[in-house]
Amino acid sequence: MGKIRTGILGGFSGKVGTVIGTRWRTLDVMKSLPKKTSKPPVRSQIDQRNKFGLITRFLGAVSEVVSKGYQSGNKLSGPMNEAVKFNLKEAISGVSPLFTINYAKLKLTLGKLDSPQDLLAVPVLGRKVAISWAYDPLDFNTENERLERSTDRASIIIYDETTDYFLIPSTAVRSAGKLEARMLSKTIVGNTLHCWFYISSLDGKKVSTSVYLGSVKAIA
């Protein structure tokens, strides 16, 4: 049974006959009931579901980053949907049914801020990862731009592939030129750590496109 929320001319929720009324973001929408079928899914449908599940699970673990990193996309679909759409197309490798995420092509953020040059990730004693980058105020054209970019936040995301967890440590200002992160105790010597880097404005409204820095091995 459907329920009318705002009078006979307003939106409704629930099932009425062969349609369903619901609210999606700020819109009242009506959609038809899905058709029942006894046909088993074809290989292409199974492959698409597997790819979708692979990407959504991975991005869901860093949803906080994705929410910030894809906020300039389609406002109706939302940051996570935009991130899934992009990476589903660009960041899946392998052949059916052995699909994998291509970490080098995966974009955790997608924006227009410029990334620094000479980005480097190296393992450090104590299960740490050190990130460094070039910073020169003269790379920016105006004094206002130099001031604004000097307050940008540099962030890294580290994925321990061996134990399947993410570390999103504290950020540093762009002008610092370096950032170091210590992995949790469940990361042991030899674990594979994948690293991404991105820049965001101080107010969080602008981001750079994330850069994959490769993988390193954790050292004691």
Side-chain angles (χ1 to χ4, degrees):
M1 180 180 70
K3 295 181 180 180
I4 298 175
R5 289 192 295 266
T6 56
I8 61 172
L9 297 180
F12 69 95
S13 63
K15 178 182 174 184
V16 177
T18 59
V19 297
I20 298 174
T22 186
R23 189 159 181 84
W24 182 70
R25 295 187 179 272
T26 60
L27 304 175
D28 290 309
V29 296
M30 183 174 63
K31 54 187 179 181
S32 61
L33 289 170
K35 294 180 180 180
K36 294 181 179 179
T37 178
S38 59
K39 294 181 180 179
V42 298
R43 183 75 254 174
S44 60
Q45 292 173 317
I46 296 174
D47 287 347
Q48 189 66 11
R49 290 174 189 173
N50 290 339
K51 292 177 184 179
F52 184 81
L54 189 63
I55 284 292
T56 53
R57 176 184 175 277
F58 196 87
L59 293 179
V62 286
S63 58
E64 182 180 344
V65 174
V66 170
S67 294
K68 178 191 294 184
Y70 280 81
Q71 60 183 311
S72 62
N74 188 315
K75 302 299 183 183
L76 290 178
S77 63
M80 182 58 74
N81 287 338
E82 288 297 299
V84 168
K85 179 181 177 181
F86 178 89
N87 287 293
L88 196 58
K89 179 181 178 181
E90 302 292 339
I92 294 290
S93 295
V95 295
S96 176
L98 303 177
F99 296 112
T100 59
I101 292 177
N102 186 326
Y103 299 124
K105 293 185 177 181
L106 188 79
K107 301 301 181 185
L108 299 177
T109 64
L110 197 66
K112 296 181 179 180
L113 280 183
D114 290 334
S115 290
Q117 299 297 311
D118 303 326
L119 280 160
L120 181 66
V122 295
V124 179
L125 291 175
R127 305 190 317 276
K128 296 179 181 179
V129 178
I131 311 292
S132 61
W133 60 90
Y135 175 74
D136 185 348
L138 297 180
D139 288 340
F140 307 106
N141 297 323
T142 67
E143 189 61 35
N144 284 341
E145 188 179 11
R146 293 185 194 107
L147 179 61
E148 185 176 2
R149 297 286 70 83
S150 69
T151 62
D152 286 345
R153 309 302 299 183
S155 302
I156 56 173
I157 301 99
I158 305 173
Y159 173 60
D160 186 331
E161 184 178 28
T162 310
T163 54
D164 189 28
Y165 85 93
F166 283 91
L167 182 72
I168 307 174
S170 57
T171 61
V173 292
R174 182 200 282 255
S175 56
K178 60 182 180 180
L179 178 59
E180 191 173 272
R182 182 185 180 89
M183 303 303 293
L184 301 181
S185 58
K186 57 184 173 180
T187 291
I188 61 175
V189 175
N191 282 15
T192 300
L193 310 176
H194 296 273
C195 307
W196 289 266
F197 175 96
Y198 74 95
I199 289 286
S200 58
S201 59
L202 184 60
D203 61 10
K205 294 181 179 180
K206 300 176 183 178
V207 298
S208 67
T209 296
S210 64
V211 177
Y212 178 63
L213 305 181
S215 64
V216 299
K217 297 290 187 180
I219 58 179

